[in-house]
Amino acid sequence: LDSIAVTPANGTATVGGTKQFVATGTYSDGSTAVLTSTVTWISGTVGVATINSSGLATGVSAGTSVITATLGAVNGTANLTIS
């Protein structure tokens, strides 16, 4: 696994609303695979947003959190803004 792309790269949601993130992995041979249910999801600021193991984020309060998808030593990030 060479890289992970998280989409949307700049997501938005409201307080109490949700946003689904998708993780797509790219391998050294150029192939890709959806890894949404395989990666570990982390919200950098849980006071702004939480995220579950399926990549579904929920807005907690206004602000921005960095969403990270990790598999092994490879990770990808996206921003989530809650209004």
Side-chain angles (χ1 to χ4, degrees), residues 24-52:
T24 304
T26 300
Y27 294 87
S28 57
D29 63 359
S31 64
T32 61
V34 175
L35 303 174
T36 304
S37 61
T38 306
V39 297
T40 298
W41 293 98
I42 299 168
S43 172
T45 309
V46 293
V48 170
T50 59
I51 190 162
N52 69 16

Side-chain angles (χ1 to χ4, degrees), residues 2 4-5 7 9-11 13-14 16 32-33 38 43 45 47 55 63 69-70 73 75 81 83:
D2 280 350
I4 297 173
T7 53
N10 292 289
T14 57
T32 61
T38 306
S43 172
T45 309
T70 302
N75 61 62
T81 300
S83 59

